[in-house]
């Protein structure tokens, strides 16, 4: 049985695509006078952190310069940090899955490319203090798919690579797991599809949060 589950946040634990699209389009409109970008397109723009998201948003309009990035980022951060819970909640079945992991004594953590202060606010508001460690993007650490955040969590919680699994909805999360030397679970209820997760080499691909419990307790059977 695994001893630690490290979760991505957006698209894995919480459904945030409406919020991301809202604040992204608000920033584009106020900073650049362009937009909007369709919400479904944001599912392909996200995954590598706030900065790359904004560069990709601007690139949609041929406006990706450093000056435009800084201006748009300031507007995006201002609105998102003022209302981090905008149309955001846990996916169905997530709370029950986390409760079951807790009952089994399995530690849980969050590793996100979203800014650390926003991650802390969202996780605390939606899940309370149930996680053993919560980490967003910090200036001193490379973002996913670099393994630094996941390794830091394992070190803080005293859990080995062999006893850890990383769970996420994008190839960035699967690459993070591989770079950190841990097993990976790709989830299909988030922002990306099975083809992307298979191409990235996910060890498991699941469609229900309850499947996570089956995997970490070795009850899962591949067909």
């Amino acid at each position: 049985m695994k001893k630690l589950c490290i979760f991505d946040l957006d698209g894995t634990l919480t459904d945030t695509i409406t919020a991301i699209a809202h604040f992204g389009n608000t920033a584009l409109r106020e900073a650049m006078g362009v937009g909007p970008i369709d919400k479904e397109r944001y599912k392909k723009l996200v995954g590598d952190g706030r900065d790359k998201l904004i560069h990709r948003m601007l690139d949609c309009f041929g406006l990706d310069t450093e000056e435009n990035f800084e201006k748009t980022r300031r507007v995006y951060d201002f609105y998102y940090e003022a209302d981090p819970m905008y149309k955001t909640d846990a996916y169905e079945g997530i709370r029950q899955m986390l409760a079951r992991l807790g009952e089994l004594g399995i530690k849980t953590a969050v590793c996100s490319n979203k800014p650390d202060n926003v991650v802390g606010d969202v996780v605390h508001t939606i899940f309370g203090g149930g996680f053993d460690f919560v980490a967003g993007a910090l200036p001193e650490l490379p973002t996913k798919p670099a393994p630094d955040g996941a390794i830091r969590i394992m070190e803080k919680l005293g859990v080995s690579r062999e006893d850890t699994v990383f769970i996420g909805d994008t190839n960035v999360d699967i690459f993070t797991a591989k770079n950190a030397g841990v097993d990976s679970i790709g989830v299909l209820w988030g922002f990306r599809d099975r083809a992307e997760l298979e191409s990235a080499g996910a060890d498991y691909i699941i469609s229900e949060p309850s499947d996570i419990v089956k995997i970490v307790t070795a009850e899962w059977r591949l067909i």
Side-chain angles (χ1 to χ4, degrees):
M1 185 166 72
K2 296 293 185 182
K3 297 179 180 178
L4 170 62
C5 291
I6 304 177
F7 293 90
D8 169 53
L9 183 62
D10 295 342
T12 302
L13 295 173
T14 55
D15 185 357
T16 55
I17 198 64
T18 298
I20 292 169
H22 169 72
F23 293 118
N25 286 333
T26 298
L28 286 171
R29 183 181 67 250
E30 294 201 7
M32 295 288 106
V34 297
I37 297 171
D38 184 77
K39 184 172 74 172
E40 287 301 307
R41 191 171 185 184
Y42 272 98
K43 291 182 178 180
K44 295 293 185 181
L45 301 180
V46 300
D48 294 285
R50 183 265 326 269
D51 288 0
K52 288 188 178 180
L53 166 63
I54 293 173
H55 281 300
R56 290 166 182 165
M57 287 160 42
L58 290 168
D59 190 53
C60 290
F61 302 94
L63 295 171
D64 188 19
T65 68
E66 196 58 34
E67 180 181 355
N68 289 342
F69 166 78
E70 290 296 336
K71 185 177 181 181
T72 306
R73 180 188 58 79
R74 285 195 297 269
V75 178
Y76 182 88
D77 285 353
F78 174 80
Y79 284 106
Y80 210 140
E81 292 177 7
D83 189 13
M85 292 307 303
Y86 178 84
K87 295 190 177 179
T88 293
D89 202 354
Y91 285 103
E92 183 177 354
I94 292 293
R95 290 183 176 88
Q96 294 87 336
M97 175 270 296
L98 292 172
R100 182 57 181 151
L101 292 178
E103 291 170 358
L104 293 168
I106 298 170
K107 295 179 180 179
T108 56
V110 175
C111 182
S112 172
N113 278 346
K114 189 188 289 287
D116 187 68
N117 61 322
V118 176
V119 172
D121 287 344
V122 170
V123 172
H124 178 75
T125 301
I126 294 178
F127 302 107
F131 285 92
D132 295 282
F133 200 89
V134 176
L138 294 167
E140 64 269 22
L141 287 178
T143 56
K144 298 181 298 181
D148 302 60
I151 291 171
R152 175 171 172 251
I153 289 170
M154 288 186 282
E155 291 175 346
K156 291 284 187 181
L157 298 181
V159 181
S160 70
R161 287 172 168 83
E162 293 74 20
D163 290 328
T164 300
V165 62
F166 198 104
I167 300 143
D169 68 307
T170 74
N171 58 5
V172 172
D173 299 307
I174 306 307
F175 295 149
T176 301
K178 290 184 177 299
N179 292 336
V182 304
D183 288 345
S184 60
I185 300 175
V187 308
L188 294 174
W189 56 81
F191 301 160
R192 305 289 173 79
D193 58 19
R194 179 180 289 274
E196 175 172 311
L197 297 171
E198 287 180 344
S199 178
D203 295 304
Y204 304 91
I205 299 176
I206 62 173
S207 56
E208 299 291 339
S210 59
D211 291 336
I212 294 169
V213 178
K214 296 175 184 178
I215 292 170
V216 301
T217 58
E219 295 177 4
W220 181 270
R221 295 291 182 268
L222 292 178
I223 299 174

